[in-house]
Amino acid sequence: KYEIITFCCFLSSMSVVGRPLLAPALVSVSWLRAALSKQSQADAPHAGPCVRVIDASFHLPIWERDPRVDFMTSHIPSSFFFDVDVVCDGDTDLPHMLPQREQFQQEMRRAGISNDDHIVVYDATDLGVFSAPRMWWMCRVFGHNNVSVLDGGLQAWTSNGFSTESGPPALVTPSNYRVDTVHLENVVDLNDIDQNMETKTHVVLDARSAGRFSGVDPEPRPDIPSGHIPGSKSLPFTELLNDETHCMKSVEDMEQVFNNVGVFFSGEDSSPCIATCGTGVTASVIAFAAHLIQEQQQEQQSVPVYDGAWVEFATKRSQQIHRI
């Protein structure tokens, strides 16, 4: 049996006249630990917006790991597991495509998350930041902008000596979460890619490894050939992470990574981008990094994600695959 719990608002600075302020897009494990501690000590358990933690782990098939098993073994206290391979569009054979509005809404209700809650997403991979930005992107597509990525993920949490829990999450009271707007401007499909190959209005940035991009290394899915979309540029998502801490690099260092491939977010040389990868997961790391850079520059042009990504392009446009 599990206790029915309700999370509460813990910092008055998080809301103004009952409405939450948007939290920073990237939060540290120390920030989250302090927030959860403060929240658990609050006197008014029904006082408004809360910090809600979601484990959005996804593992590549070649890793032979089950994220649900990992969650049951160890997770950040009070977190909820969101399975991108279950909460996805079931009308396509493509892996973990963006779910329908009703699917996302139902999952948020089941997790007891309210529209005003501050969601913090993390993943439990050894890479620190891998799949959590996919959930960050998904939340924003469905209008939930008060969402943050935990820098370094579960690895950073445990490295700092913070405690974890095992077993299923505590039961929660279902919420009345509503998705009123879907921001499809943050989503790109194959037709958009086809059009962009003609117009070249957007720079397509590929988050896969350089070897997969060039066609030298195989894809993790054996039935999919490697290579890249014509005209796209290689920007492995790992270049946006600190090699030692597996946290996101500084905004200045991330901006330099983009500049190195000819992408600028301000000035005369700025140009819109599209992020892609293998299945739409690590493309979200590029979109997230671009958001952090533009957040500091007070720019607001989002980088959309090609949801079908390389699996779709390589399957449906195999004759157009480019290799180096």
Side-chain angles (χ1 to χ4, degrees):
K1 296 181 179 180
Y2 301 96
E3 178 185 5
I4 302 295
I5 57 177
T6 303
F7 298 88
C8 59
C9 180
F10 68 97
L11 289 176
S12 60
S13 61
M14 288 188 63
S15 62
V16 176
V17 195
R19 300 298 298 176
L21 294 175
L22 290 184
L26 184 68
V27 298
S28 69
V29 293
S30 295
W31 184 98
L32 178 60
R33 182 172 181 266
L36 293 178
S37 177
K38 195 85 171 182
Q39 188 162 272
S40 66
Q41 299 170 15
D43 294 328
H46 305 285
C50 315
V51 173
R52 303 302 310 275
V53 186
I54 292 180
D55 181 335
S57 297
F58 161 77
H59 299 320
L60 290 173
I62 58 174
W63 293 350
E64 297 182 346
R65 289 175 58 184
D66 185 336
R68 281 188 175 273
V69 172
D70 288 351
F71 179 86
M72 294 289 287
T73 302
S74 179
H75 57 263
I76 293 174
S78 77
S79 59
F80 172 84
F81 182 74
F82 187 101
D83 195 334
V84 297
D85 281 324
V86 173
V87 188
C88 61
D89 187 352
D91 294 331
T92 175
D93 293 332
L94 296 171
H96 42 255
M97 291 284 282
L98 186 72
Q100 299 296 322
R101 175 205 302 247
E102 293 76 13
Q103 288 177 284
F104 184 84
Q105 179 175 273
Q106 184 59 35
E107 190 69 2
M108 292 298 100
R109 289 180 176 181
R110 189 172 74 86
I113 294 174
S114 299
N115 288 84
D116 287 343
D117 286 345
H118 172 199
I119 297 173
V120 177
V121 295
Y122 76 93
D123 59 74
T125 68
D126 297 334
L127 295 168
V129 178
F130 177 72
S131 56
R134 169 74 182 190
M135 185 66 192
W136 169 87
W137 169 79
M138 191 185 303
C139 286
R140 291 176 64 85
V141 168
F142 290 113
H144 199 118
N145 291 333
N146 203 16
V147 56
S148 305
V149 170
L150 183 65
D151 204 8
L154 183 64
Q155 183 180 77
W157 181 270
T158 57
S159 294
N160 277 270
F162 300 155
S163 65
T164 60
E165 294 179 342
S166 61
L171 296 178
V172 296
T173 302
S175 70
N176 294 316
Y177 191 93
R178 288 179 55 85
V179 175
D180 295 319
T181 305
V182 181
H183 294 274
L184 293 179
E185 68 273 14
N186 293 330
V187 188
V188 164
D189 62 20
L190 184 57
N191 290 330
D192 297 318
I193 295 296
D194 287 339
Q195 182 177 351
N196 191 69
M197 286 192 292
E198 296 293 331
T199 63
K200 298 178 174 60
T201 56
H202 289 64
V203 179
V204 178
L205 299 175
D206 194 321
R208 294 173 301 149
S209 68
R212 291 167 62 188
F213 179 88
S214 66
V216 174
D217 294 338
E219 288 293 307
R221 291 170 174 76
D223 55 333
I224 302 296
S226 57
H228 60 270
I229 297 169
S232 60
K233 296 184 177 184
S234 176
L235 199 166
F237 79 95
T238 51
E239 293 187 10
L240 299 165
L241 306 180
N242 184 294
D243 291 336
E244 296 182 359
T245 66
H246 303 294
C247 292
M248 302 294 294
K249 288 182 176 179
S250 68
V251 167
E252 293 74 20
D253 287 346
M254 288 191 294
E255 186 172 11
Q256 187 60 54
V257 172
F258 282 96
N259 293 170
N260 289 343
V261 294
V263 172
F264 301 85
F265 295 106
S266 60
E268 296 180 356
D269 296 325
S270 64
S271 60
C273 300
I274 293 170
T276 187
C277 60
T279 60
V281 174
T282 57
S284 302
V285 179
I286 290 180
F288 180 63
H291 175 85
L292 293 177
I293 294 169
Q294 294 184 91
E295 186 177 55
Q296 179 165 300
Q297 297 176 345
Q298 297 185 334
E299 300 284 343
Q300 295 186 355
Q301 183 175 348
S302 64
V303 172
V305 169
Y306 173 24
D307 197 22
W310 182 247
V311 167
E312 180 178 46
F313 188 88
T315 302
K316 298 181 180 180
R317 299 290 185 269
S318 59
Q319 299 302 313
Q320 295 177 276
I321 293 176
H322 273 209
R323 298 182 177 88
I324 299 175

